[in-house]
């Protein structure tokens, strides 16, 4: 549901078995690499198109270069975060983690996979919503996974203060950007979802209905996380 997944908190280094730390380090490093690749590819394509086409963008071309298989694989890896929370590898609320991951999987596989031809290349609304998701998700995840790589490797005290600031403040802008883009893509899929099957139309409608309370829950949760982190820093 979110364009930010700020809920994952690693256990203190001393409480994690060495093999778990090494696994989490590898997991977060792989995700950081994939999201960085996706984000820089998107930005590079936008810059090249702006220069070559006099500030006109070919978003269908960006979709082709980013969605298959890069976004599909990168976003699908987040399913492991539900498992991490469930088995206690990280101190993350299972419900909010599952809610966030499920919303992203829904967008990537439940909306874009079956209906991309009816959304991308049709009009600017759906296209810029896809671009909004790419940028909101990408920037957020680069910061988040980079944070965890440094935290697992050397402890939270090794994370630069400016990086911590980015992690706990970017969501104020990126969350509304991501959530609105996700909702637009879902709404644009509705006419063709009904053609596919009436129950699929209702499925998307139900998901959109969950977005409103779910978005409020996750946004306020992230604000509480930020306040908690700020309080800890003041007490140190």
């Amino acid at each position: 549901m979110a364009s930010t997944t700020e809920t994952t908190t690693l256990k203190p280094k001393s409480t994690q078995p060495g093999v778990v730390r090494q696994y989490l380090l590898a997991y977060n490093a792989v995700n950081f690499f994939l999201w960085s690749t996706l984000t820089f590819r998107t930005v590079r394509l936008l810059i090249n198109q702006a220069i070559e086409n006099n500030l006109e963008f070919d978003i269908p071309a960006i979709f082709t270069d980013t969605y298959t298989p890069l976004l599909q694989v990168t976003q699908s890896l987040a399913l492991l975060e539900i498992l991490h929370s469930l088995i206690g590898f990280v101190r993350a609320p299972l419900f909010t983690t599952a809610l966030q991951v499920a919303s992203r999987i829904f967008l990537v596989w439940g909306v874009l996979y079956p209906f991309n031809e009816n959304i991308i290349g049709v009009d600017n609304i759906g296209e810029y919503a896809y671009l909004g998701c790419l940028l909101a998700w990408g920037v957020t995840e680069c910061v988040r996974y980079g944070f965890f790589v440094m935290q697992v490797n050397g402890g939270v005290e090794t994370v630069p203060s400016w990086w911590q600031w980015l992690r706990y403040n970017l969501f104020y802008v990126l969350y509304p950007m991501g959530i609105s883009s996700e909702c637009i893509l879902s709404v644009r899929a509705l006419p063709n979802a009904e053609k596919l099957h009436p129950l699929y139309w209702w499925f998307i409608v139900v998901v959109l209905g969950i977005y409103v309370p779910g978005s409020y829950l996750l946004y306020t949760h992230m604000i509480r996380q930020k306040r908690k982190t700020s309080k800890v820093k003041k007490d140190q």
Side-chain angles (χ1 to χ4, degrees):
M1 172 156 312
S3 60
T4 63
T5 45
E6 297 289 339
T7 57
T8 304
T9 304
L10 301 178
K11 288 184 176 181
K13 190 173 180 180
S14 60
T15 68
Q16 292 176 329
V19 65
V20 174
R21 289 202 304 273
Q22 293 303 312
Y23 164 75
L24 289 175
L25 180 61
Y27 172 80
N28 288 300
V30 168
N31 276 280
F32 177 73
F33 172 77
L34 289 173
W35 279 111
S36 296
T37 300
L38 180 62
T39 304
F40 282 117
R41 179 178 295 184
T42 301
V43 173
R44 176 178 56 81
L45 289 169
L46 286 172
I47 293 174
N48 289 343
Q49 289 182 4
I51 295 173
E52 295 172 3
N53 302 324
N54 196 23
L55 296 179
E56 293 186 5
F57 300 105
D58 182 4
I59 299 179
I62 295 176
F63 177 86
T64 300
D65 284 349
T66 56
Y67 178 69
T68 305
L70 186 55
L71 179 60
Q72 292 174 322
V73 172
T74 302
Q75 191 58 74
S76 296
L77 277 178
L79 287 167
L80 289 173
E81 298 192 10
I82 300 176
L83 179 63
H84 297 165
S85 177
L86 183 63
I87 63 180
F89 277 10
V90 296
R91 295 184 303 186
L94 180 60
F95 175 73
T96 52
T97 300
L99 190 63
Q100 289 175 318
V101 173
S103 70
R104 298 276 197 91
I105 297 300
F106 164 73
L107 258 295
V108 171
W109 291 104
V111 172
L112 289 172
Y113 182 72
F115 306 121
N116 66 80
E117 293 182 356
N118 309 112
I119 298 174
I120 308 299
V122 176
D123 55 44
N124 289 337
I125 297 176
E127 293 176 358
Y128 279 98
Y130 174 73
L131 187 61
C133 284
L134 274 185
L135 294 175
W137 293 351
V139 173
T140 296
E141 300 297 44
C142 286
V143 172
R144 186 172 73 100
Y145 285 114
F147 179 94
F148 288 139
V149 167
M150 289 182 278
Q151 185 182 20
V152 173
N153 190 51
V156 70
E157 63 275 4
T158 65
V159 182
S161 58
W162 62 270
W163 197 292
Q164 295 189 45
W165 185 92
L166 289 175
R167 187 197 168 208
Y168 289 106
N169 287 276
L170 283 179
F171 76 89
Y172 283 114
V173 174
L174 295 180
Y175 190 93
M177 175 180 172
I179 200 70
S180 58
S181 298
E182 293 173 25
C183 288
I184 290 171
L185 288 174
S186 299
V187 170
R188 303 298 285 183
L190 282 173
N192 291 282
E194 188 172 23
K195 294 177 183 178
L196 181 64
H197 197 287
L199 288 179
Y200 205 83
W201 184 90
W202 278 108
F203 169 64
I204 295 179
V205 168
V206 170
V207 171
L208 284 169
I210 296 173
Y211 262 76
V212 176
S215 299
Y216 174 79
L217 174 68
L218 294 175
Y219 197 62
T220 53
H221 172 79
M222 290 184 287
I223 292 175
R224 289 194 299 270
Q225 288 290 98
K226 171 180 165 46
R227 290 174 178 170
K228 186 186 301 183
T229 302
S230 299
K231 184 177 184 300
V232 170
K233 288 181 179 179
K234 290 179 181 179
D235 293 341
Q236 288 178 345

